[in-house]
Amino acid sequence: MALEVVVLAAGQGKRMRSRLPKALHTLAGRPLLAHVLRSVRTLRPARIHVVVGVGADEVKAAFADEADVSWVLQRQQLGTGHAAAQAIGDIARDSLVLILFGDVPLVRAETLRACVDAAGDGIGLVTADMPDPMDLGRIVRGADGHVRAIVEARDANEETRAIREINTGIMAMPAALLAAKLKGLRSNNAQGELYLTDVISMAVADGVPVNAVKAPCPEEVAGINDRMQLAQLERFHQARLAEALMRSGVTLRDPSRIDIRGDVTAGEDCVIDVNVVFEGTVRLGHGVSIGAGAVIKDATLADGVTIHPHTVIDGAKIAAECEIGPFARMRPGTELAEHVKIGNFVETKKTRLGAGTKSNHFAYLGDTTTGEDCNIGAGTIMCNYDGVDKHPTFLGNRVFIGSNSTLVAPIKVGDDSYVAAGSTVTDEVNVDELAIGRSRQRNITGWTSPVKRKKQRSP
Ligand code: UD1
Ligand code: MG
């Protein structure tokens, strides 16, 4: 049977108290809905339908690149059953439908597969035991242990509210069965909504088997309804990611003080100090050391790289044995060859530095390419912008730029040449030349400092 997936994500997420649709709130740097889609795709479904409503355009725009999603609009949010009913018309009648919620981000593919496998000719339903199930739907089982119904907390009596087994919202069943039951839903409940959960008791009444699968860990199927739950799940997820890094051979100085908002892979014997944030795709070689408070995004750091504390790296390729920071900023298009040293308050952008080049203190290196073993003095500025266009700077090998120099691009500085400290360089410097671009020092002899006039006393 072909598999079609329906993700319900039209709700307003009232309890978030937010202008952003709930599906777009992020966990580990990705929208909640993105997590769900990622898990779903591993099942290779024939189609993925996502029901959107509140903020539909915003949600669709955020996922505009994902061509395999077919969007379904639920104009009014009349409940989960009503949401599923909006999608059913687009679903092949002979397929199996897996329904899940856009606000349950950490569900694993294995659990979804177990649900699909459990459906058979009936219904597969994922449940979980929660110590404190609050406002979640309760799973009511009969004396024979089989699931009989799902009762929403608000519609439950005290006895039912005491049940700890809850509905995760994940269920699978044949499309024809779902279509028939959705037609029969009524909104005679506390919230006046059409509940998808009522499909269960209706099917049971017809003798359809409901096969429950218990999720092994409650966090995996936890829904996010407010910002406290979002924060709790973020911490849970970060702990899992930290654990995976440690298993792959990384030392974390404190596994509870790292944030991974993307994908990080690491070789052996990397050491990561506290409060480091990773974003996007980050690849670490062997023996990389990252200091406290660094923020590293979309970067490759080769073997033996040392990042000192509070360094910000975005879109950079850093070769083996480079040393960067503290307080350095590597912007997109930065490429450092082996053994480059970058010190405090140095900013690079679209800049390639040759092996062994050093810029140890206070500098702006934009649109710059250097050869090997250059020394760029403190306070050097590559003036790459004329107010309209950006221009490049080229340094050869073994170039020495004296402190507090400005190089006005476009400009070339040849191999083994020097720029004297305090120069403003506007013309090309050739091989082996010393460029001095500053006014000559003049000393005035016999200089006496001005004397302050004495205040006159008032008579
Ligand atoms: C729902 C379930 C509850 C379950 C819990 C698990 C129902 C009636 N209740 O409650 O049994 O324990 O999830 O997290 O199904 N949605 C729409 N359109 C609507 C209403 C909701 O698309 O008209 C979407 C929401 O965007 C959300 C999902 O359905 O992604 C669940 O809605 P929500 O309001 O969060 O339901 P819960 O109260 O969490
Ligand atoms: Mg919810």
Side-chain angles (χ1 to χ4, degrees):
M1 229 189 252
L3 178 68
E4 298 202 24
V5 173
V6 180
V7 182
L8 306 186
Q12 185 186 357
K14 272 187 214 132
R15 291 161 278 183
M16 296 297 283
R17 295 189 173 271
S18 175
R19 292 179 188 185
L20 191 68
K22 184 158 70 171
L24 296 184
H25 278 264
T26 58
L27 184 124
R30 287 194 183 99
L32 298 179
L33 182 57
H35 288 270
V36 175
L37 291 176
R38 197 188 224 195
S39 283
V40 156
R41 285 195 180 105
T42 58
L43 302 184
R44 305 196 164 279
R47 294 184 72 195
I48 302 173
H49 310 264
V50 180
V51 182
V52 285
V54 176
D57 291 337
E58 227 179 308
V59 178
K60 281 155 75 174
F63 290 87
D65 296 341
E66 319 215 358
D68 60 343
V69 173
S70 70
W71 300 100
V72 180
L73 186 65
Q74 183 194 24
R75 282 179 206 285
Q76 267 187 300
Q77 282 59 61
L78 303 177
T80 49
H82 181 261
Q86 308 310 299
I88 197 74
D90 295 341
I91 295 173
R93 278 296 179 273
D94 57 355
S95 62
L96 187 76
V97 184
L98 171 69
I99 306 178
L100 65 168
F101 294 163
D103 67 349
V104 181
L106 296 184
V107 63
R108 291 174 314 133
E110 291 86 335
T111 303
L112 297 180
R113 190 173 300 282
C115 179
V116 167
D117 292 345
D121 277 345
I123 298 179
L125 177 68
V126 180
T127 70
D129 291 324
M130 299 261 181
D132 185 13
M134 311 276 279
D135 53 0
L136 294 168
R138 305 298 201 269
I139 303 292
V140 179
R141 291 185 184 252
D144 57 0
H146 289 133
V147 175
R148 303 208 57 81
I150 299 172
V151 178
E152 289 306 298
R154 277 188 253 194
D155 301 295
N157 58 27
E158 216 168 304
E159 189 190 343
T160 307
R161 284 182 69 94
I163 297 171
R164 297 280 171 265
E165 188 182 10
I166 59 93
N167 170 36
T168 65
I170 302 161
M171 56 179 87
M173 69 189 86
L177 172 66
L178 177 65
K181 296 302 167 216
L182 288 177
K183 277 192 199 135
L185 291 181
R186 298 286 171 268
S187 57
N188 51 347
N189 52 52
Q191 300 189 78
E193 290 184 352
L194 297 174
Y195 288 166
L196 176 63
T197 44
D198 287 346
V199 165
I200 300 297
S201 54
M202 292 159 71
V204 168
D206 287 353
V208 174
V210 176
N211 307 310
V213 184
K214 236 178 225 178
C217 129
E219 284 88 353
E220 179 201 339
V221 290
I224 290 174
N225 295 317
D226 60 36
R227 295 185 199 240
M228 277 80 76
Q229 290 168 341
L230 180 61
Q232 282 160 7
L233 221 51
E234 175 83 42
R235 286 301 106 208
F236 169 79
H237 186 51
Q238 289 299 338
R240 282 214 306 204
L241 296 176
E243 207 178 294
L245 264 191
M246 291 188 286
R247 283 190 203 291
S248 75
V250 176
T251 294
L252 299 182
R253 290 296 176 213
D254 181 353
S256 70
R257 282 185 287 169
I258 178 172
D259 278 85
I260 299 172
R261 300 176 191 149
D263 297 302
V264 178
T265 56
E268 289 174 352
D269 298 314
C270 294
V271 178
I272 300 175
D273 210 334
V274 299
N275 296 331
V276 172
V277 178
F278 292 104
E279 293 174 46
T281 306
V282 176
R283 310 245 166 277
L284 307 180
H286 300 298
V288 173
S289 158
I290 301 180
V295 179
I296 300 179
K297 179 180 178 187
D298 294 322
T300 305
L301 278 53
D303 296 354
V305 166
T306 301
I307 307 294
H308 292 294
H310 302 290
T311 290
V312 178
I313 297 179
D314 177 7
K317 261 181 84 175
I318 296 169
E321 305 297 334
C322 286
E323 204 175 317
I324 303 176
F327 301 103
R329 181 176 181 206
M330 308 287 96
R331 291 170 53 200
T334 296
E335 284 184 34
L336 309 185
E338 296 79 25
H339 293 281
V340 165
K341 268 192 84 181
I342 298 285
N344 42 237
F345 306 106
V346 173
E347 174 182 348
T348 62
K349 185 221 72 173
K350 271 199 192 161
T351 282
R352 292 162 58 191
L353 303 183
T357 291
K358 295 188 176 95
S359 177
N360 274 332
H361 334 264
F362 317 104
Y364 173 61
L365 312 178
D367 301 288
T368 299
T369 305
T370 81
E372 299 181 356
D373 296 316
C374 294
N375 194 317
I376 300 171
T380 297
I381 306 290
M382 303 305 184
C383 308
N384 62 332
Y385 186 48
D386 61 13
V388 180
D389 295 309
K390 301 278 166 65
H391 302 282
T393 296
F394 295 96
L395 270 53
N397 296 311
R398 298 169 301 279
V399 170
F400 184 99
I401 309 287
S403 295
N404 202 32
S405 295
T406 53
L407 280 72
V408 181
I411 194 153
K412 281 186 186 162
V413 182
D415 288 352
D416 299 293
S417 60
Y418 277 66
V419 169
S423 293
T424 296
V425 182
T426 54
D427 298 325
E428 180 164 350
V429 182
N430 296 307
V431 173
D432 284 329
E433 284 181 341
L434 166 66
I436 307 177
R438 64 182 186 223
S439 59
R440 207 168 244 292
Q441 180 174 336
R442 190 159 72 96
N443 293 359
I444 298 170
T445 52
W447 183 257
T448 48
S449 64
V451 180
K452 277 189 187 162
R453 276 203 202 115
K454 284 207 175 112
K455 272 192 187 163
Q456 281 186 336
R457 291 229 173 92
S458 44

